[in-house]
C-alpha cells in the first residue's frame, strides 16, 4: 500500500457496501483461486493480493466485525484482520480455508455433511418512528423449499439417483497440486455422489421448488439505515444439510421534521424576528408529541436548545439521546409601505446598541484593518 495505508476492504474484494454474505464469499473465492500461492509461486504481487483479500474476507464475513468496520473503519477492527502468513498460529486461516477452500478443493468437507441452504437478503423499509422505537412486521420471503414430490432427491418418483460414475459416490475427486494431494468437489454430481438420470417433473431434478413463507420480524428500537438483523435457519432449505440464514437490511425513510445524528434528533424551528427579539413560548414537535419550550428574548438565529431524553433509544439498550432544537430567525419579506416606514423608524431610534453581534464583528474588522 502507498504510505502504508490499507485499502478499503470492500474495494479489495470488489463488492459494494451492501453486499450480502454470499456476494462477499463469492468475491473472495474468485480472488483466492486467482492469487493462491500454489498457483503463483514467486509472484510477490499475487501473494500480497492473496493476503489482502484474506484479511478483508475475515472481517467482512463476520457480522460483528463488519458492523465495527462499517462504523469505525480499520480502527474498529484493529488486530481483527491481521495476516501472519501461515496456516495456523492464530491466523484466520482455519475458519477461512474450511469455509472457502472446502468448496473449491474439498478441504475436509465430506459428502455426508450435505449442502447448506442459501442465505437470503431482505430489504426492509421503515419509517423514522419505527426505526426509533422498534416495530414488529410480517414479511413474505421467497425461498427454495424441498420438493415434496421427490422428497428432495431430484429423481422422478419410482426412480432413484445413481452413483456418480466420475467420483464413484465419493462426491470428490483427488488430484496432485504441487506438494499437496488435493480433493476437489466432483463437477459432475456437485459433491452429491449421485446423479439423476430421470429428473422429477416438478423440480426438474433440483430437489427444491420456489415458495414463499410469512415471518414475523421484531425490529429493535434504535436501528438505522444499514443495520442488519440475522434470522438463523430462515434462509433456503439445505439438501442434506442445514438451512441457510435470512439477513434483513434496514432502510429508514427520511422524516419531514427530524434528522438523526447518532442517538440525537435534530429539529429546526423557524421563528419571526419579533419572537426572537421579545422572546416567546412555542410548541415544539418531538418523537413523543409536542412539548412547550420557552425562547428567551434576544435569541439569535442558529441558537441550539437541548431537550433531554427526547432522542433515539440506544440500540444496545443504554438510555436515550436528546433532541437538539435549532432556532432559525426568519427575515420578513414582501413588506408594505407602512411596515417599511415603521422598520426605518425603528432603525433610526435603535442605533447600534441593540445589535451586539454586529457591533462585535465591526470592532474585529477595525482591529484587523488597523
Amino acid at each position: 500500500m502507498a504510505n502504508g495505508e490499507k485499502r478499503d476492504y470492500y474495494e479489495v474484494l470488489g463488492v459494494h457496501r451492501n453486499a450480502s454474505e454470499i456476494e462477499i464469499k463469492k468475491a473472495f473465492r474468485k480472488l483466492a483461486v486467482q492469487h493462491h500461492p500454489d498457483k503463483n509461486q514467486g509472484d510477490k504481487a499475487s501473494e500480497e493480493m492473496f493476503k489482502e483479500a484474506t484479511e478483508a474476507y475475515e472481517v467482512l464475513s463476520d457480522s460483528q466485525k463488519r458492523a465495527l468496520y462499517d462504523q469505525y473503519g480499520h480502527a474498529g477492527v484493529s488486530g481483527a484482520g491481521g495476516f501472519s502468513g501461515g496456516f495456523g498460529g492464530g491466523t484466520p486461516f482455519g475458519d477461512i480455508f474450511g469455509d472457502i477452500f472446502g468448496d473449491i478443493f474439498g478441504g475436509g468437507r465430506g459428502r455426508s455433511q450435505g449442502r447448506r441452504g442459501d442465505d437470503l437478503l431482505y430489504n426492509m423499509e421503515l419509517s423514522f418512528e419505527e426505526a426509533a422505537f422498534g416495530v414488529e412486521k410480517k414479511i413474505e420471503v421467497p425461498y427454495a423449499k424441498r420438493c415434496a414430490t421427490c422428497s428432495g432427491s431430484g429423481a422422478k418418483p419410482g426412480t432413484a439417483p445413481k452413483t456418480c460414475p466420475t467420483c464413484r459416490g465419493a462426491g470428490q475427486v483427488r488430484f496432485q497440486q504441487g506438494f499437496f494431494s488435493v480433493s476437489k468437489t466432483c463437477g459432475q454430481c456437485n459433491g452429491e455422489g449421485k446423479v439423476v438420470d430421470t429428473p422429477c417433473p416438478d423440480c426438474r431434478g433440483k430437489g427444491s421448488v420456489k415458495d414463499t413463507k410469512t415471518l414475523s420480524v421484531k425490529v429493535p428500537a434504535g436501528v438505522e439505515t444499514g443495520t442488519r438483523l440475522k434470522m438463523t435457519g430462515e434462509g433456503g432449505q439445505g439438501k442434506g444439510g442445514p438451512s441457510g440464514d435470512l439477513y434483513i437490511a434496514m432502510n429508514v425513510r427520511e422524516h419531514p421534521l427530524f434528522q438523526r445524528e447518532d442517538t440525537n434528533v435534530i429539529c429546526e424551528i423557524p421563528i419571526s424576528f419579533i419572537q426572537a427579539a421579545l422572546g416567546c413560548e412555542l410548541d415544539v414537535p418531538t418523537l413523543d408529541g409536542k412539548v412547550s419550550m420557552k425562547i428567551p428574548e434576544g435569541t439569535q438565529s442558529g441558537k441550539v436548545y437541548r431537550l433531554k431524553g427526547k432522542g433515539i433509544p440506544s440500540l444496545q439498550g443504554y438510555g436515550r439521546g436528546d433532541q437538539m432544537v435549532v432556532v432559525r430567525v426568519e427575515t420578513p419579506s414582501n413588506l408594505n409601505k407602512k411596515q417599511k416606514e415603521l422598520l426605518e423608524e425603528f432603525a433610526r431610534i435603535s442605533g447600534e446598541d441593540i445589535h451586539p453581534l454586529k457591533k462585535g464583528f465591526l470592532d474585529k474588522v477595525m482591529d484587523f484593518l488597523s
Side-chain angles (χ1 to χ4, degrees):
M1 298 293 99
N3 301 322
E5 295 182 358
K6 290 185 177 181
R7 282 202 297 156
D8 178 76
Y9 285 150
Y10 293 97
E11 179 187 342
V12 170
L13 296 183
V15 297
H16 54 79
R17 300 193 77 83
N18 290 328
S20 67
E21 184 178 300
I22 296 174
E23 291 172 322
I24 289 172
K25 184 175 180 180
K26 286 182 178 179
F28 174 67
R29 185 203 309 256
K30 181 179 179 181
L31 289 172
V33 172
Q34 181 181 352
H35 297 284
H36 193 279
D38 286 346
K39 294 177 60 178
N40 302 275
Q41 295 184 13
D43 187 337
K44 292 295 183 182
S46 278
E47 181 181 345
E48 288 302 316
M49 184 61 201
F50 183 76
K51 292 179 180 180
E52 192 177 30
T54 302
E55 179 177 330
Y57 177 75
E58 197 272 334
V59 171
L60 299 185
S61 63
D62 184 298
S63 59
Q64 292 182 339
K65 292 177 184 177
R66 181 177 181 179
L68 288 172
Y69 178 75
D70 286 345
Q71 187 168 5
Y72 303 109
H74 293 292
V77 291
S78 179
F83 185 101
S84 59
F87 287 87
T91 68
F93 274 92
D95 292 337
I96 290 178
F97 279 96
D99 187 31
I100 296 296
F101 285 95
D103 292 339
I104 300 172
F105 299 122
R109 286 190 178 185
R111 177 172 52 87
S112 60
Q113 290 181 312
R115 185 186 302 167
R116 183 178 180 274
D118 291 334
D119 289 335
L120 304 177
L121 176 65
Y122 184 92
N123 293 305
M124 177 179 285
E125 290 278 331
L126 296 174
S127 70
F128 196 91
E129 292 86 351
E130 287 173 336
F133 297 118
V135 67
E136 186 168 352
K137 284 181 172 284
K138 291 190 181 297
I139 61 174
E140 295 287 331
V141 181
Y143 76 114
K145 181 180 72 173
R146 185 176 293 109
C147 177
T149 304
C150 64
S151 300
S153 71
K156 181 179 179 180
T159 68
K162 297 180 180 179
T163 300
C164 175
T166 302
C167 65
R168 298 179 182 178
Q172 299 176 338
V173 291
R174 300 182 67 84
F175 64 96
Q176 196 74 21
Q177 183 180 18
F179 296 102
F180 301 97
S181 178
V182 181
S183 294
K184 180 180 179 181
T185 301
C186 177
Q188 184 170 354
C189 67
N190 294 318
E192 298 295 325
K194 295 182 180 296
V195 291
V196 176
D197 286 339
T198 309
C200 168
D202 289 344
C203 67
R204 300 180 181 180
K206 293 181 179 180
S208 62
V209 293
K210 293 181 179 179
D211 199 359
T212 58
K213 56 184 174 182
T214 302
L215 297 175
S216 181
V217 181
K218 292 184 178 181
V219 180
V223 299
E224 56 187 319
T225 295
T227 300
R228 289 192 178 200
L229 303 180
K230 178 181 178 181
M231 299 186 72
T232 303
E234 293 294 355
Q237 287 190 351
K239 192 172 183 179
S243 295
D245 301 325
L246 172 64
Y247 291 87
I248 303 173
M250 305 297 166
N251 182 51
V252 183
R253 296 190 294 272
E254 292 185 0
H255 196 280
L257 296 177
F258 305 121
Q259 290 181 319
R260 178 172 180 170
E261 190 175 272
D262 195 12
T263 57
N264 293 329
V265 169
I266 300 172
C267 180
E268 294 192 356
I269 303 294
I271 64 174
S272 71
F273 84 106
I274 300 296
Q275 290 174 312
L278 302 180
C280 63
E281 190 166 331
L282 298 175
D283 285 336
V284 176
T286 74
L287 291 173
D288 300 310
K290 65 182 180 181
V291 298
S292 182
M293 189 177 79
K294 288 185 177 181
I295 303 294
E297 64 179 51
T299 293
Q300 303 299 317
S301 187
K303 178 68 176 178
V304 179
Y305 296 96
R306 182 186 297 267
L307 297 177
K308 296 286 290 184
K310 293 297 183 180
I312 306 286
S314 169
L315 185 58
Q316 287 75 33
Y318 303 115
R320 185 173 171 182
D322 304 325
Q323 177 166 318
M324 319 304 288
V325 180
V326 184
V327 174
R328 299 297 182 195
V329 180
E330 288 189 299
T331 302
S333 60
N334 300 319
L335 298 175
N336 59 36
K337 183 178 179 181
K338 182 63 175 179
Q339 289 170 328
K340 289 180 180 179
E341 290 175 351
L342 290 173
L343 284 178
E344 288 169 354
E345 178 64 19
F346 174 77
R348 277 194 298 270
I349 66 175
S350 296
E352 295 296 331
D353 292 338
I354 64 170
H355 302 105
L357 294 181
K358 179 180 178 183
K359 187 175 186 301
F361 174 76
L362 291 176
D363 289 343
K364 291 177 184 178
V365 170
M366 294 302 294
D367 290 341
F368 175 76
L369 297 176
S370 62

